[in-house]
Amino acid sequence: MGARLPAAAGIDLQDVQKIYDGVKALDIALLRVEPRSTLALIGPSGCGKSTLLRLVVGLLTPERGSIRIAGTPMRPETRLELQRRMGYVIQEGGLFPHLTAAENVALVARDLGWPDARIGARIQELLELTQIPRELLDRFPAQISGGQRQRVALMRALMLDPEVLLLDEPLSSLDPMIRSDLQRDLKQVFGRLRKTVLFVTHDMAEAAFISGEIAIMNRGTILQRGSFQELVRNPATPFVTEFIRAQRLLDAPNLTPT
């Protein structure tokens, strides 16, 4: 028998709508993210990417429709249980500034009553995974770089060994060299952990590098889903064509379909 795969959970949205001030911000007829797969959500600002993630993690409630994690519906009575099965990373990390990096990472585990030995062992595993020097964990967020804060935020998201990872433009504020390093590291982490990942970005090259599948959104809906090569070869709408062209990727040697 082969090695046992780590726990993972699928994500299912059906007939989900979210409305702000009378305006439909999100309208998803059907979306499934298979267990242990990575899906990148991409589209212009305000298209509903972040709203979709907040609905999945239970920070927002839809006006209608169902959201299920591993078959369990997201409801008030299941929200806390499901949130503990998900890790969530936002732009610039969202670390608490008055806590050290180590305290940020261990916060939820301590609230759940994990003993110190278990917390220490898990932090050591995550240090090796995210390639963070141990001494950085004694510093406050303001004392470490943007890239280091994002690695700490990833550690915090992974602390409980969740089945699902949700990342909302986690690299958008970083300079190009640091961003490139973290893109490579995230791809390696996703491949190693085999979790279910929903990754929001505004950068098509980043989406194509990190994720096997990309869903292009506009005005709250998913216009097309597929690999980068499929999106380029067979764009479903003029918007998809223009969105890819605007990102100047059609001549990129590592991304152009063969």
Coordinates of all heavy atoms in Angstrom, one line a residue, residues 113-152:
G113 N -6.3 24.9 23.6 CA -5.7 24.2 24.7 C -4.6 23.2 24.3 O -4.3 22.3 25.1
W114 N -3.9 23.4 23.2 CA -2.8 22.6 22.8 C -1.7 22.7 23.9 O -1.4 23.8 24.3 CB -2.2 23.0 21.5 CG -3.0 22.5 20.3 CD1 -4.3 22.3 20.2 CD2 -2.5 22.3 19.0 NE1 -4.7 21.9 18.9 CE2 -3.6 21.9 18.1 CE3 -1.2 22.4 18.4 CZ2 -3.4 21.6 16.8 CZ3 -1.0 22.1 17.1 CH2 -2.1 21.7 16.3
P115 N -1.1 21.6 24.3 CA 0.0 21.8 25.3 C 1.3 22.4 24.6 O 1.4 22.3 23.3 CB 0.3 20.3 25.7 CG -0.2 19.5 24.6 CD -1.4 20.2 24.0
D116 N 2.2 22.9 25.4 CA 3.3 23.6 24.8 C 4.2 22.7 24.0 O 4.7 23.1 22.9 CB 4.2 24.1 26.0 CG 3.6 25.4 26.6 OD1 2.6 25.9 26.1 OD2 4.0 25.7 27.8
A117 N 4.3 21.4 24.4 CA 5.1 20.5 23.6 C 4.6 20.3 22.2 O 5.3 20.2 21.2 CB 5.3 19.2 24.3
R118 N 3.3 20.2 22.1 CA 2.6 20.0 20.8 C 2.8 21.2 19.9 O 3.1 21.1 18.7 CB 1.2 19.6 21.0 CG 0.5 19.3 19.6 CD -1.0 19.0 19.9 NE -1.7 18.7 18.6 CZ -3.0 18.6 18.5 NH1 -3.8 18.6 19.6 NH2 -3.5 18.4 17.3
I119 N 2.6 22.4 20.5 CA 2.8 23.6 19.8 C 4.2 23.8 19.3 O 4.5 24.1 18.1 CB 2.4 24.8 20.7 CG1 0.9 24.9 20.9 CG2 2.9 26.2 20.1 CD1 0.4 25.9 21.9
G120 N 5.2 23.5 20.2 CA 6.6 23.6 19.8 C 6.9 22.7 18.6 O 7.7 23.0 17.7
A121 N 6.4 21.4 18.7 CA 6.7 20.5 17.6 C 6.1 20.9 16.3 O 6.8 20.8 15.3 CB 6.2 19.1 18.0
R122 N 4.9 21.4 16.4 CA 4.2 21.9 15.1 C 4.9 23.1 14.5 O 5.1 23.2 13.3 CB 2.8 22.2 15.4 CG 2.0 22.6 14.2 CD 2.0 21.6 13.1 NE 1.2 22.0 11.9 CZ 1.3 21.5 10.7 NH1 2.2 20.6 10.5 NH2 0.5 22.0 9.7
I123 N 5.4 24.0 15.4 CA 6.1 25.2 14.9 C 7.4 24.8 14.3 O 7.8 25.3 13.2 CB 6.3 26.2 16.1 CG1 5.0 26.9 16.4 CG2 7.4 27.2 15.7 CD1 5.1 27.9 17.6
Q124 N 8.1 23.8 14.8 CA 9.3 23.4 14.2 C 9.1 22.8 12.8 O 9.8 23.0 11.9 CB 10.0 22.3 15.1 CG 11.4 21.9 14.6 CD 12.3 23.0 14.4 OE1 12.4 23.9 15.3 NE2 13.1 23.0 13.3
E125 N 8.0 22.0 12.7 CA 7.6 21.5 11.4 C 7.4 22.6 10.3 O 7.8 22.5 9.2 CB 6.4 20.6 11.5 CG 6.5 19.3 12.2 CD 5.2 18.6 12.4 OE1 4.2 19.1 12.0 OE2 5.3 17.5 12.9
L126 N 6.7 23.6 10.8 CA 6.3 24.7 9.9 C 7.5 25.6 9.6 O 7.6 26.2 8.5 CB 5.2 25.5 10.5 CG 3.9 24.8 10.7 CD1 2.9 25.6 11.4 CD2 3.3 24.4 9.3
L127 N 8.5 25.7 10.5 CA 9.7 26.5 10.2 C 10.5 25.8 9.1 O 11.0 26.5 8.2 CB 10.6 26.5 11.5 CG 10.2 27.5 12.6 CD1 11.0 27.3 13.8 CD2 10.3 28.9 12.1
E128 N 10.5 24.5 9.1 CA 11.2 23.8 8.1 C 10.5 23.9 6.7 O 11.1 24.0 5.7 CB 11.4 22.3 8.5 CG 12.3 22.1 9.7 CD 12.2 20.7 10.2 OE1 11.6 19.8 9.6 OE2 12.9 20.4 11.3
L129 N 9.2 23.9 6.8 CA 8.4 23.9 5.6 C 8.4 25.3 4.9 O 8.6 25.4 3.7 CB 6.9 23.6 5.9 CG 5.9 23.6 4.7 CD1 6.1 22.4 3.8 CD2 4.5 23.7 5.2
T130 N 8.4 26.4 5.7 CA 8.4 27.7 5.2 C 9.7 28.4 5.1 O 9.9 29.5 4.6 CB 7.5 28.6 6.0 OG1 7.9 28.6 7.4 CG2 6.0 28.1 6.0
Q131 N 10.8 27.7 5.6 CA 12.2 28.2 5.5 C 12.4 29.5 6.3 O 13.0 30.4 5.7 CB 12.6 28.3 4.1 CG 12.5 26.9 3.3 CD 12.9 27.1 1.9 OE1 14.0 27.6 1.6 NE2 12.1 26.6 1.0
I132 N 11.8 29.6 7.5 CA 12.0 30.8 8.3 C 13.0 30.5 9.4 O 12.9 29.5 10.1 CB 10.6 31.2 8.9 CG1 9.6 31.6 7.9 CG2 10.8 32.3 9.9 CD1 8.2 31.9 8.5
P133 N 14.0 31.4 9.6 CA 14.9 31.2 10.7 C 14.2 31.3 12.0 O 13.3 32.1 12.2 CB 15.9 32.3 10.5 CG 15.8 32.8 9.1 CD 14.3 32.5 8.7
R134 N 14.5 30.4 12.9 CA 13.8 30.3 14.2 C 13.9 31.6 15.0 O 12.9 32.0 15.6 CB 14.5 29.2 15.1 CG 13.9 29.0 16.5 CD 12.4 28.6 16.4 NE 11.8 28.4 17.7 CZ 11.3 29.4 18.4 NH1 11.3 30.7 17.9 NH2 10.6 29.2 19.5
E135 N 14.9 32.4 14.9 CA 15.1 33.6 15.7 C 14.1 34.7 15.2 O 13.7 35.6 16.0 CB 16.5 34.2 15.6 CG 17.0 34.5 14.2 CD 17.7 33.3 13.5 OE1 17.5 32.2 14.0 OE2 18.4 33.6 12.6
L136 N 13.5 34.6 14.0 CA 12.6 35.6 13.5 C 11.3 35.5 14.3 O 10.5 36.5 14.4 CB 12.3 35.4 12.0 CG 13.3 35.8 11.0 CD1 12.8 35.7 9.6 CD2 13.8 37.3 11.3
L137 N 11.0 34.3 14.9 CA 9.7 34.2 15.6 C 9.6 35.0 16.9 O 8.5 35.2 17.4 CB 9.4 32.7 15.9 CG 9.2 31.8 14.6 CD1 8.7 30.4 15.1 CD2 8.1 32.4 13.7
D138 N 10.8 35.4 17.4 CA 10.8 36.2 18.6 C 10.5 37.7 18.3 O 10.4 38.5 19.2 CB 12.1 36.1 19.3 CG 12.3 34.7 19.8 OD1 11.3 34.0 20.2 OD2 13.5 34.2 19.8
R139 N 10.4 38.1 17.0 CA 10.2 39.5 16.7 C 8.8 39.8 16.4 O 8.0 38.9 16.1 CB 11.0 39.8 15.4 CG 12.5 39.5 15.6 CD 13.3 39.8 14.3 NE 14.7 39.4 14.3 CZ 15.5 39.4 13.3 NH1 15.1 39.8 12.1 NH2 16.8 38.9 13.5
F140 N 8.5 41.1 16.5 CA 7.1 41.6 16.2 C 7.0 41.8 14.7 O 8.0 42.0 14.0 CB 6.8 42.8 17.0 CG 6.7 42.6 18.4 CD1 7.8 42.8 19.3 CD2 5.5 42.3 19.0 CE1 7.7 42.6 20.6 CE2 5.3 42.0 20.4 CZ 6.4 42.2 21.2
P141 N 5.8 41.8 14.1 CA 5.6 41.9 12.7 C 6.3 43.1 12.1 O 6.8 43.1 11.0 CB 4.1 42.0 12.5 CG 3.5 41.2 13.7 CD 4.5 41.4 14.8
A142 N 6.3 44.2 12.8 CA 6.9 45.5 12.3 C 8.5 45.3 12.2 O 9.1 46.1 11.5 CB 6.6 46.7 13.2
Q143 N 9.0 44.3 12.8 CA 10.5 44.1 12.9 C 11.0 43.1 11.8 O 12.1 42.8 11.7 CB 10.9 43.6 14.3 CG 10.6 44.6 15.4 CD 10.9 44.1 16.7 OE1 10.6 42.9 17.0 NE2 11.4 44.9 17.6
I144 N 10.1 42.6 11.0 CA 10.4 41.6 9.9 C 10.0 42.2 8.6 O 9.1 43.0 8.5 CB 9.9 40.2 10.2 CG1 8.4 40.2 10.3 CG2 10.5 39.7 11.5 CD1 7.8 38.8 10.6
S145 N 10.5 41.6 7.5 CA 10.2 42.1 6.2 C 8.8 41.6 5.7 O 8.2 40.7 6.3 CB 11.2 41.6 5.2 OG 11.1 40.2 5.0
G146 N 8.3 42.2 4.6 CA 7.0 41.8 4.1 C 7.0 40.4 3.7 O 6.0 39.7 3.9
G147 N 8.1 39.9 3.1 CA 8.1 38.5 2.7 C 8.1 37.6 3.9 O 7.5 36.5 3.9
Q148 N 8.8 38.0 4.9 CA 8.8 37.2 6.2 C 7.5 37.2 6.8 O 7.0 36.2 7.4 CB 9.9 37.7 7.1 CG 11.3 37.5 6.6 CD 12.4 38.3 7.3 OE1 12.1 39.3 8.0 NE2 13.6 37.9 7.2
R149 N 6.8 38.3 6.8 CA 5.4 38.4 7.4 C 4.5 37.4 6.7 O 3.7 36.7 7.3 CB 4.9 39.8 7.4 CG 5.5 40.7 8.4 CD 4.7 42.0 8.5 NE 4.7 42.8 7.3 CZ 5.7 43.8 7.1 NH1 6.7 43.9 8.0 NH2 5.6 44.5 6.0
Q150 N 4.6 37.3 5.4 CA 3.8 36.4 4.6 C 4.1 35.0 4.9 O 3.2 34.1 5.0 CB 3.9 36.7 3.1 CG 3.2 38.0 2.6 CD 1.8 38.0 3.0 OE1 1.4 38.5 4.1 NE2 0.9 37.5 2.2
R151 N 5.3 34.6 5.1 CA 5.7 33.3 5.5 C 5.1 33.0 6.9 O 4.7 31.9 7.2 CB 7.2 33.1 5.5 CG 7.8 33.1 4.1 CD 9.3 33.0 4.2 NE 9.9 33.3 2.8 CZ 10.1 32.3 1.9 NH1 9.8 31.1 2.2 NH2 10.6 32.6 0.8
V152 N 5.2 33.9 7.8 CA 4.6 33.7 9.2 C 3.1 33.6 9.1 O 2.5 32.7 9.7 CB 5.0 34.9 10.1 CG1 4.2 34.8 11.4 CG2 6.5 34.9 10.4

